[in-house]
Amino acid sequence: MTILSDLVDGALADMARRQEQVSLDDLKERARRQPSARDAVAALRAAGPVAVISEIKRASPSKGHLADIASPAQLASAYEAGGAACISVLTEERQFHGSLADLDEVRAATSLPILRKDFIVHPYQVHEARAHGADLVLLIVAALEQTVLTSLVERVHSLGMTALVEAHSRLEALRALDAGARVVGVNARDLTTFTVDRANFAQIVDVIPEGVVAVAESGVRSAQDVLAYAQDGADAVLIGEALVRDGNPRDAVAQMVAAGAHPTLASSRKVRVRSARDHHHSR
Ligand SMILES: O=C(O)c1ccccc1NCC(=O)[C@H](O)[C@H](O)COP(=O)(O)O
């Protein structure tokens, strides 16, 4: 039993409980009443050079309690005011202490694209994300067989949302691309040991073509870390702990955004090589 499989099992058990209350048909009906999903790729590109995805995260398996977040809506508004391009909402209940109610609250508070961050391995969870107003859905390569990954990416895209497909290695990044990902995240956190190694991004990013948005996830503690990820070719960074622990989340986001727009980046930023995959993904 690994940390990831434990998290997936818990998410599936919680989903089974919700399925008893809300049928898939009910979810689809609720999704139909939502405004169309926002274009997260456009939002991430427009916010460049480096977009900031700001996360609402109360707790984590690696750190335990992080922050009392009484109002996810207020925190989302502070993130938006600070210049975030997207908001990430952890909806996993057991270890991260999030919920779909958090997603509903944040949806009502912001017009930014919202990522549903959870351990998503079943189509029901994808429809649930849309029904609660999500625009992006996290899919973790390590948790999914390739055929299942591909079909979930297709389902996410067919509902007008964007899949953020998360990789921890070059092989997983290639699997994400083969599954049709338009946004690939490289997570610095090893899900077997919880070790955070930001250098992981630089070792993987060159397999992600320019036409695909590359997101550096985890381990950003300062504006300097944003700058370093940007220099390595990140199009976006996903930041949780550093923002929820900061007493002034609006200014904290603004500092990260400013770092991503630093003038020195124009000359020092690595441009990812264009490959045949670029052609495929820009069609
Ligand atoms: O954060 C954890 O401890 C964790 C453990 C196991 C699976 C996922 C986990 N985190 C999810 C994330 O990917 C992060 O919340 C996200 O990248 C932000 O990271 P950070 O800025 O380091 O809080």
Side-chain angles (χ1 to χ4, degrees):
M1 195 55 103
T2 64
I3 294 162
L4 182 58
S5 66
D6 259 357
L7 287 161
V8 168
D9 288 350
L12 280 173
D14 292 344
M15 180 196 83
R17 190 176 30 79
R18 292 193 301 273
Q19 271 178 315
E20 286 172 14
Q21 314 289 323
V22 184
S23 72
L24 184 58
D25 284 346
D26 289 345
L27 274 185
K28 288 181 178 173
E29 182 48 40
R30 183 171 172 168
R32 270 192 284 275
R33 292 198 301 268
Q34 288 284 348
S36 303
R38 289 144 185 85
D39 185 343
V41 171
L44 291 169
R45 292 273 185 220
V50 181
V52 174
I53 306 173
S54 303
E55 186 155 280
I56 295 181
K57 182 178 185 184
R58 290 195 178 87
S60 74
S62 58
K63 298 279 177 76
H65 175 82
L66 292 174
D68 294 319
I69 301 173
S71 171
Q74 268 179 21
L75 185 54
S77 300
Y79 286 165
E80 183 167 8
C86 295
I87 310 288
S88 166
V89 180
L90 270 154
T91 56
E92 198 273 352
E93 298 175 19
R94 296 170 184 232
Q95 303 268 356
F96 294 89
H97 304 169
S99 67
L100 286 167
D102 287 351
L103 187 53
D104 293 335
E105 257 201 56
V106 172
R107 178 68 293 154
T110 180
S111 55
L112 293 179
I114 300 176
L115 166 68
R116 179 185 184 189
K117 199 118 190 293
D118 210 318
F119 298 87
I120 293 177
V121 293
H122 192 284
Y124 182 89
Q125 295 165 295
V126 173
H127 286 280
E128 209 172 35
R130 186 77 282 273
H132 289 267
D135 309 291
L136 282 142
V137 171
L138 180 75
L139 298 174
I140 301 173
V141 173
L144 296 159
E145 297 282 339
Q146 189 65 16
T147 50
V148 180
L149 175 63
T150 303
S151 93
L152 287 174
V153 169
E154 282 168 5
R155 190 173 297 252
V156 168
H157 291 169
S158 75
L159 294 174
M161 297 186 288
T162 302
L164 165 53
V165 186
E166 178 177 301
H168 293 85
S169 65
R170 293 171 75 82
L171 183 63
E172 286 184 8
L174 290 170
R175 283 185 54 201
L177 295 167
D178 283 343
R182 298 168 195 151
V183 180
V184 174
V186 174
N187 203 329
R189 183 173 286 107
D190 182 322
L191 295 187
T192 50
T193 60
F194 288 151
T195 313
V196 173
D197 179 8
R198 283 191 300 277
N200 203 29
F201 181 82
Q203 285 155 17
I204 295 174
V205 68
D206 63 289
V207 307
I208 306 173
E210 280 288 306
V212 172
V213 178
V215 183
E217 299 177 37
S218 299
V220 171
R221 300 290 172 256
S222 66
Q224 194 56 42
D225 295 336
V226 175
L227 196 59
Y229 269 144
Q231 282 165 336
D232 285 336
D235 298 308
V237 290
L238 196 159
I239 313 173
E241 181 180 338
L243 300 180
V244 298
R245 282 194 193 274
D246 199 295
N248 188 337
R250 177 194 163 156
D251 286 2
V253 173
Q255 280 169 23
M256 303 297 188
V257 171
H262 198 275
T264 56
L265 277 176
S267 54
S268 64
R269 189 156 186 246
K270 284 181 198 142
V271 176
R272 301 199 302 274
V273 278
R274 290 189 67 83
S275 69
R277 286 174 190 282
D278 257 355
H279 175 66
H280 172 74
H281 282 280
S282 60
R283 277 183 300 174

